[in-house]
Amino acid sequence: MMSERKLQSAALFLTLFGAMLFMPPLVLLFNLRQRLFGIPAEVIYLFLVWLGLVLATAWFSRRLPASGTETPPSGPES
């Protein structure tokens, strides 16, 4: 199981990587004349990237604890 710190780092990487996938140099690689069921390849690429990011975000949201929830100290109050 990944530690909380590693999960936070991976979530940050996902954000940066996802933003990079929507940048014009990568999107323009799929600016082709080919179509799949009448849908341009560029639109299919954008939808699949969006879907992947939504699924990855849902996975991270289940694994990372809610912000501000800390475990109380187990020792007696002083």
Side-chain angles (χ1 to χ4, degrees):
M1 179 104 185
M2 293 177 72
S3 70
E4 182 180 342
R5 179 97 167 134
K6 286 183 181 181
L7 279 172
Q8 288 174 347
S9 296
L12 176 62
F13 175 77
L14 175 70
T15 303
L16 298 174
F17 184 68
M20 184 186 73
L21 289 175
F22 283 110
M23 294 290 182
L26 285 177
V27 174
L28 291 177
L29 290 175
F30 294 91
N31 191 9
L32 310 170
R33 293 186 181 261
Q34 297 174 346
R35 294 175 178 259
L36 183 63
F37 302 114
I39 303 171
E42 188 175 23
V43 173
I44 293 172
Y45 167 78
L46 290 172
F47 177 74
L48 289 176
V49 168
W50 172 81
L51 181 64
L53 290 172
V54 167
L55 292 174
T57 301
W59 184 83
F60 276 115
S61 71
R62 300 252 185 232
R63 301 293 183 281
L64 284 171
S67 173
T69 57
E70 297 181 23
T71 57
S74 60
E77 302 273 330
S78 300

